Amino acid sequence: MKIYNSLTRRKEEFVPLEAGKVKMYACGITVSGEAHVGHGFQALIYDVFRKFFEKQGYEVTYARNYTDVDDKIIARAKEAGIPADKYAAMMIENIDRVMRRAEIDEPTLWLKATENVGNIISFIEQLVERGHAYAAENGDVYFDVDSFPAYGQLSGRSREDALDGVRVENDDCKRNAYDFALWKAAKEGEIQWDSPWGKGRPGWHIECSAMNRAAFGDQIDLHGGGRDLVFPHHENEIAQSEALTGKRFAKYWTHNGLVKVNGQKMSKSLGNSLLLEDLLDRYSPDCLKFALLSSNYRGDVNLTDELFRESEAHLARFYELIGKAEAAFPDESGLEEEIDRKFDEAMSDDFNTALALSDLFGYFKEISRLLAAGGDARARRMTNQIKRTYSLLGLFRKSPAEYAAQRTPQAEIPAEAVTLAEERKAARAAKDWAKSDELRDRLKSLGYAVKDTKDGYELTKI
């Protein structure tokens, strides 16, 4: 299998550090707020990575972290009037609950910064001893970027470029403005721990390096996270870890794209952050996964109501055909291994979920044809294999009845009506107005009016 390595900027054959085993780590959530859909996207992507490695026969140890102490968490805790550790614990409980609701499985290991302060302090002490870090007069400890000549290898940034877009604090305490904090001296009223440099708390970047080393040793196979973490976070992780060990920290670096809403980057400042729980109130977990996995994980995902509406309509039709095949051939237990082979082929090319999902349309078209012809048990064998294979993506784990119970109001519109509306949208895009009018009339005969919108269309009961 091949993986796109962000470090080398090319696809590479995956060869683990130890035969038959994979050690992988993905940066998790800073628990200063509730989980948004970007968090869900990243968690889903690396859950899929882990499961496909396992499908290929690897023994996988998959770790994710919670950043449960940082400036934002402390500020939010003060606003809420509770201690920072209690605030973080509360948010972790909420986020865990929402991820379970999204039906995203937990990693092998959960790592938390506050549970690794001893490992973090030890890591910093060794960096200081080796001349890669220094203590400032105010009690902060900084990594000396000039001591690591390879700095910038992941992001392609020079030291001077490193200052662009990055908040610089306490310049007068640093040797150079681009040095970054490993340990922050405690301020009055903040959560704090004892250290050789006085009371304080870890910086953000050091926690992942220290926790990785404590969990896995000096090296891991794959490190993941969102593309927004390439710089400075992942760049700084490489500098810290490789300065200390002299070894390549992660063999493969992978980064998922960003989540956009109606073409704009999702951000609190734009007021378009989508909480994961709010989306789950409107759409099923299957729909969420189908929508998020329908494009390449390295590209940005543009979320629109139309995307979710189309995903739910496709799934409604797929589950409908699964139900018909199971009813028609209740005793057929065979499989169709070609479906599994094509899935593996797609996923072995840098986890190409988009290609794997696109294959479903051909499979279900064939299932529909077989059922219409009557008497061919291959329809049931195909649905059996689809359920078995695509469960790796979190799809088709439910019975058709269970899925129907989770469907959204939009999905309650008959699949036939949604299909006609989709065909009409395609006809309008092709400027086939006669076909568009014909499909509108057919929808009307089914009892539905179609209204064109900037996002596509809306179907309403007449």
Side-chain angles (χ1 to χ4, degrees):
M1 63 183 293
K2 291 187 176 181
I3 297 175
Y4 182 85
N5 190 344
S6 301
L7 185 65
T8 60
R9 297 167 181 78
R10 65 174 183 268
K11 288 183 183 179
E12 298 178 356
E13 195 72 31
F14 179 74
V15 180
L17 294 167
E18 182 179 352
K21 296 185 178 182
V22 175
K23 296 185 289 187
M24 60 177 283
Y25 176 92
C27 289
I29 302 174
T30 298
V31 296
S32 56
E34 303 287 352
H36 55 64
V37 67
H39 296 138
F41 179 45
Q42 195 251 37
L44 173 61
I45 289 299
Y46 289 101
D47 183 43
V48 168
F49 278 27
R50 180 259 301 271
K51 288 186 170 68
F52 189 66
F53 279 129
E54 290 175 338
K55 188 173 189 291
Q56 300 308 296
Y58 290 106
E59 178 186 331
V60 182
T61 304
Y62 166 40
R64 288 178 67 80
N65 77 302
Y66 273 127
T67 295
D68 55 351
V69 57
D70 87 331
D71 293 338
K72 291 181 180 179
I73 295 169
I74 291 169
R76 291 290 181 86
K78 285 182 179 178
E79 290 173 6
I82 59 177
D85 57 343
K86 293 188 181 301
Y87 178 85
M90 176 183 71
M91 295 309 302
I92 288 173
E93 184 177 343
N94 289 348
I95 292 165
D96 283 346
R97 174 183 55 77
V98 174
M99 290 295 181
R100 287 194 296 270
R101 185 180 172 192
E103 299 174 6
I104 298 172
D105 292 338
E106 294 197 5
T108 316
L109 300 173
W110 272 119
L111 305 175
K112 298 176 183 177
T114 58
E115 294 176 356
N116 281 271
V117 173
N119 292 325
I120 291 169
I121 290 173
S122 175
F123 198 107
I124 297 172
E125 284 182 306
Q126 293 175 70
L127 285 173
V128 172
E129 290 171 3
R130 287 164 171 75
H132 292 291
Y134 58 92
E137 291 181 2
N138 67 347
D140 290 348
V141 181
Y142 293 99
F143 184 85
D144 183 353
V145 172
D146 281 343
S147 75
F148 188 70
Y151 191 81
Q153 58 185 300
L154 181 65
S155 64
R157 296 193 185 204
S158 67
R159 287 163 176 71
E160 291 70 26
D161 292 339
L163 294 176
D164 293 342
V166 177
R167 184 175 60 185
V168 177
E169 298 177 331
N170 298 324
D171 278 358
D172 56 336
C173 297
K174 299 180 182 182
R175 293 176 182 170
N176 291 291
Y178 40 71
D179 293 346
F180 56 89
L182 303 173
W183 185 261
K184 293 188 174 185
K187 297 177 182 176
E188 186 175 353
E190 288 186 350
I191 186 171
Q192 55 191 258
W193 289 266
D194 291 325
S195 81
W197 316 283
K199 293 183 181 298
R201 57 186 172 86
W204 174 34
H205 310 296
I206 190 63
E207 65 178 79
C208 290
S209 290
M211 290 190 294
N212 260 290
R213 194 171 190 227
F216 294 119
D218 291 345
Q219 296 178 289
I220 59 174
D221 293 288
L222 184 145
H223 195 308
R227 193 173 67 235
D228 56 328
L229 297 180
V230 170
F231 187 87
H233 186 50
H234 288 167
E235 194 73 77
N236 292 351
E237 279 191 63
I238 290 174
Q240 297 161 165
S241 295
E242 297 187 5
L244 179 62
T245 68
K247 301 174 184 177
R248 186 175 179 179
F249 174 33
K251 190 171 182 181
Y252 303 90
W253 285 87
T254 60
H255 294 91
N256 60 275
L258 306 179
V259 172
K260 296 183 177 180
V261 179
N262 294 319
Q264 288 185 307
K265 179 182 175 181
M266 188 177 70
S267 71
K268 292 180 181 178
S269 62
L270 293 174
N272 64 355
S273 291
L274 296 179
L275 294 183
L276 186 55
E277 185 144 47
D278 289 345
L279 277 177
L280 291 169
D281 286 340
R282 299 170 59 193
Y283 303 105
S284 68
D286 280 63
C287 174
L288 189 67
K289 293 174 184 179
F290 192 96
L292 293 173
L293 296 175
S294 291
S295 56
N296 185 286
Y297 78 92
R298 289 191 284 118
D300 293 340
V301 179
N302 186 30
L303 300 185
T304 64
D305 285 333
E306 183 180 6
L307 173 64
F308 291 116
R309 185 165 56 234
E310 290 178 352
S311 297
E312 199 80 271
H314 295 319
L315 286 165
R317 177 60 173 163
F318 295 163
Y319 268 104
E320 178 187 1
L321 289 169
I322 289 171
K324 287 181 178 179
E326 291 177 346
F329 306 101
D331 299 324
E332 178 58 53
S333 59
L335 300 173
E336 291 280 322
E337 293 183 358
E338 178 67 8
I339 291 174
D340 198 60
R341 186 195 66 77
K342 287 191 67 179
F343 179 86
D344 283 358
E345 187 177 279
M347 292 292 288
S348 291
D349 183 11
D350 195 31
F351 307 99
N352 195 339
T353 58
L355 177 58
L357 288 180
S358 70
D359 287 337
L360 285 172
F361 294 92
Y363 299 149
F364 279 106
K365 183 177 181 180
E366 176 65 5
I367 290 167
S368 179
R369 185 191 70 77
L370 293 170
L371 290 172
D376 194 330
R378 182 168 178 253
R380 176 61 189 272
R381 292 197 300 272
M382 289 182 71
T383 61
N384 286 347
Q385 188 67 65
I386 288 169
K387 289 172 66 176
R388 179 186 176 104
T389 296
Y390 283 81
S391 65
L392 186 147
L393 303 183
L395 302 174
F396 308 119
R397 294 177 175 179
K398 305 175 182 66
S399 69
E402 289 171 331
Y403 173 74
Q406 281 193 326
R407 283 164 59 183
T408 65
Q410 175 65 30
E412 291 171 6
I413 296 173
E416 182 182 0
V418 176
T419 299
L420 290 174
E422 289 292 325
E423 291 178 3
R424 180 178 175 274
K425 186 179 78 168
R428 287 179 63 80
K431 300 188 185 303
D432 188 345
W433 309 119
K435 181 71 171 177
S436 172
D437 290 344
E438 175 197 341
L439 291 165
R440 180 195 60 206
D441 292 341
R442 288 174 64 185
L443 281 164
K444 188 174 181 180
S445 70
L446 290 175
Y448 288 90
V450 61
K451 176 184 177 183
D452 297 309
T453 69
K454 63 182 180 66
D455 292 327
Y457 62 85
E458 289 180 359
L459 286 175
T460 55
K461 186 76 174 175
I462 298 175

